Amino acid sequence: QVQLVESGGGLVQAGGSLRLSCAASGIIFSTNPMAWYRQAPGKQRELVARITGGGSTKYGDFVKGRFTISRDDAKKTVYLQMNSLKAEDTAVYYCYAGIISGSLEWQYWGQGTQVTVSS
């Protein structure tokens, strides 16, 4: 059974930093892509950052160098370091694990962690 447990969310002032963590279990972590998505009230869920098993990364356009995704395969944990936070970064942040099976990618989601940035 795949489980993704996020931590590290909270309240921070604009310009501050937060580090989100997502601990995975029940999957072969090192070979599968991991990602962070976010969803603000009234908006669609959007990609924040994605990292492949090989370490290649992709970021949402709004990140603009402020966030960094990384992974520790030994700990089965993916991180999102968020710097220079803005009020518009306020959202629930979800951890995502993709399990590759042939041409398919099975999707697994964490329960989400709230990030609130005060202006």
Side-chain angles (χ1 to χ4, degrees):
Q1 180 180 359
V2 178
Q3 284 191 319
L4 303 172
V5 179
E6 300 107 331
S7 60
L11 174 64
V12 64
Q13 288 188 330
S17 299
L18 281 175
R19 188 193 195 204
L20 304 183
S21 300
C22 172
S25 61
I27 61 172
I28 302 174
F29 184 83
S30 61
T31 59
N32 292 296
M34 301 292 294
W36 289 95
Y37 285 74
R38 71 184 188 184
Q39 188 166 19
K43 295 188 176 181
Q44 289 188 329
R45 191 172 295 190
E46 60 181 350
L47 174 69
V48 178
R50 177 181 170 99
I51 184 166
T52 68
S56 297
T57 58
K58 176 183 178 180
Y59 294 92
D61 291 340
F62 59 87
V63 169
K64 298 187 186 301
R66 300 181 297 130
F67 299 172
T68 302
I69 189 170
S70 61
R71 62 192 296 158
D72 185 330
D73 291 342
K75 295 182 178 180
K76 292 191 175 182
T77 300
V78 62
Y79 304 98
L80 183 68
Q81 177 66 44
M82 303 187 292
N83 300 325
S84 302
L85 284 161
K86 306 174 182 179
E88 50 264 43
D89 293 318
T90 295
V92 178
Y93 284 69
Y94 295 93
C95 180
Y96 166 94
I99 308 300
I100 305 297
S101 177
S103 61
L104 299 177
E105 181 170 318
W106 300 96
Q107 302 180 359
Y108 295 89
W109 297 91
Q111 80 285 355
T113 185
Q114 177 70 46
V115 171
T116 302
V117 184
S118 62
S119 57

